[in-house]
Amino acid sequence: MKIKAQISMVMNLDKCIGCHTCSIACKNVWTNRQGAEYMYFNNVETKPGTGYPKHWENQAKWKGGWELKDGKLQLRSGSKSERLLKLFYHPEQPEMDDYYEPWTYDYESLLSSKRKKHQPVARPRSLITQKRMEIKWGPNWEDDLADGESVRQDINLKNMAGEITMEFHDLFMKYLPRVCNHCLNPACVAACPSGAIYKREEDGVVLVSQDGCRGWRHCIPACPYKKVYFNWKTNKAEKCIFCFPRLENGLPTICTDTCVGRLRYMGVLLYDMDKVKEAASEPEAGNIYHSVLDILLDPHDPAVIEAARKEGIPANWLEAAQHSPVYRLIKEWKIALPLHAEYRTLPMVWYVPPLSPITRRMEADVYLPEVHDMRIPLAYLAELFGAGNTGVVAQSLQKLLDMRLVMRCQETGEEIPQRLAEDVVVYKD
Ligand code: SF4
Ligand code: SF4
């Protein structure tokens, strides 16, 4: 067993209100400069929706010449000349239109405009070309200007057209905050011909060496989550750095620190490095979640503690792992799930899936819906968080529902149902 430590994050999607405080805090700290205008190391997507960049979940679109081989993403095999050719052309990747052309407004015109019948309007101006522009699309377009087409184009919903029939009263919307997942099997690292992207030994943070990057851009199509960006000014790749200078000073990432919904939990996980390849190569996509749980180690187990010490994992990291809310949410309670585990990069940012709105049914006086009868279709959530395995998501949602029921009983003095009473544990730390 080769034990490693990994900084990880869990986001509770029930609490995200899509305010973008996290995105703006991150932008101001890390990408507030020329060449990086369009980049959001942290973005918050409207779901269902086309995402940012558009259709990033459509892996066929960004094929990019990569394949999974022996648990690792590698350049597709072929003749030597074919492989050389692939090194010299940029595999298919998103263009500016797939992100959006960032803009500002000519506020000056509000002040200089002549007196007219109508109020003056500040016209949009491109932050890249500095010219006037017509805004045609932007992140979260579906929120308030969607024509329905962008929602219909959501790749997951399209794939499930037969399974999900949506009536007007069934419509739903939710938010999905996304950062780089600092994967255990990072495709961006595997793809970089210069070896400029690396996974830090001490905490698993994935970084791009700005000195080492030669601008090949293979990392961009290789990352199935499209979380590497190209700086058009410096010609280097950039990505979320998990705020490592803050982590090194005992602070959480800026998105976690500023989150209005307090929905981000950070912590340390311990995992068995020797089993990473095996987990990534799990033949059944729907089982990858279980394979990843297998490689996460119990930080309270004396054998794990002993082995971690031998590996040189510092005592304060071990303590952090033992008190980690992330470990509890992921492995102990099994309510946090990985986003698109089927991409096989073993992402280390996990999500507590959202419960649909709690409704009261007149006829039965029922406050809590059934897992299989929620407004957000289970099949849709399973595409996002269960690699198609509805059982994995249903298990998580059922626990969330049970938790609500217990809390309601505790508040109202009603008796906690017998099947749950034995499991109620009060955590104090
Ligand atoms: Fe690399 Fe993408 Fe994974 Fe981040 S999410 S570590 S950029 S493969
Ligand atoms: Fe969601 Fe928190 Fe970001 Fe607001 S700050 S959009 S609540 S993740």
Side-chain angles (χ1 to χ4, degrees), residues 40 42-43 45 56 61-62 85 90 98 101 127 140 153 157 159 180 191 219 235 246 269 277 306 308 349 383 397 414:
Y40 282 93
N42 179 104
N43 73 296
E45 273 164 36
W56 64 268
K61 183 171 163 74
W62 316 111
L85 188 66
H90 294 142
D98 295 309
E101 188 165 344
L127 273 173
N140 300 92
Q153 280 185 7
L157 279 182
N159 284 351
C180 161
C219 49
N235 288 338
R246 288 176 60 92
L269 293 170
K277 202 167 131 181
E306 184 54 30
V349 172
E383 284 291 312
L397 294 178
E414 285 170 63

Side-chain angles (χ1 to χ4, degrees), residues 213-244:
C213 177
R214 296 282 173 268
W216 287 109
R217 287 184 258 176
H218 286 290
C219 49
I220 299 167
C223 170
Y225 300 90
K226 295 292 158 288
K227 272 295 172 187
V228 191
Y229 303 92
F230 191 68
N231 185 313
W232 59 268
K233 190 78 181 164
T234 62
N235 288 338
K236 309 265 182 188
E238 291 189 26
K239 61 178 285 302
C240 156
I241 58 171
F242 237 15
C243 293
F244 74 85

Side-chain angles (χ1 to χ4, degrees), residues 11 15-23 42 44 175 177 255 258-264:
M11 300 195 220
K15 295 186 185 175
C16 182
I17 56 170
C19 64
H20 278 285
T21 310
C22 49
S23 314
N42 179 104
V44 182
Y175 290 105
C255 54
T258 55
C259 174
V260 171
R262 316 309 293 161
L263 61 95
R264 297 178 186 231

Side-chain angles (χ1 to χ4, degrees), residues 50-209:
T50 41
Y52 166 87
K54 280 181 198 161
H55 308 303
W56 64 268
E57 288 162 290
N58 184 350
Q59 300 301 308
K61 183 171 163 74
W62 316 111
K63 47 195 179 295
W66 299 92
E67 67 181 349
L68 186 83
K69 222 163 133 193
D70 300 331
K72 275 186 142 191
L73 273 176
Q74 301 179 358
L75 269 177
R76 269 185 210 289
S77 43
S79 68
K80 197 173 168 197
S81 56
E82 276 171 340
R83 289 196 353 214
L84 263 177
L85 188 66
K86 273 174 196 149
L87 273 176
F88 284 99
Y89 85 96
H90 294 142
E92 201 167 331
Q93 55 190 299
E95 293 175 8
M96 182 61 82
D97 280 350
D98 295 309
Y99 294 99
Y100 80 117
E101 188 165 344
W103 68 87
T104 182
Y105 293 94
D106 278 326
Y107 294 110
E108 195 53 37
S109 63
L110 294 180
L111 304 172
S112 57
S113 159
K114 288 194 188 127
R115 194 182 173 104
K116 286 187 201 153
K117 195 172 159 205
H118 300 292
Q119 214 172 317
V121 182
R123 299 262 174 225
R125 178 164 49 81
S126 165
L127 273 173
I128 308 269
T129 63
Q130 300 302 326
K131 292 188 181 144
R132 284 265 175 92
M133 65 178 274
E134 189 191 343
I135 304 171
K136 291 196 180 132
W137 195 84
N140 300 92
W141 206 242
E142 297 85 2
D143 258 28
D144 39 21
L145 290 170
D147 55 0
E149 187 51 32
S150 48
V151 175
R152 269 197 298 278
Q153 280 185 7
D154 182 296
I155 184 73
N156 289 345
L157 279 182
K158 232 163 73 181
N159 284 351
M160 293 185 292
E163 287 176 50
I164 298 177
T165 47
M166 296 280 252
E167 303 292 336
F168 178 71
H169 58 265
D170 291 329
L171 290 178
F172 66 92
M173 194 187 90
K174 65 190 185 64
Y175 290 105
L176 179 70
R178 297 205 302 125
V179 292
C180 161
N181 299 293
H182 298 276
C183 309
L184 295 187
N185 183 35
C188 55
V189 174
C192 177
S194 317
I197 310 190
Y198 60 102
K199 190 164 175 66
R200 287 215 305 194
E201 275 297 300
E202 62 268 42
D203 55 12
V205 173
V206 174
L207 297 171
V208 184
S209 156

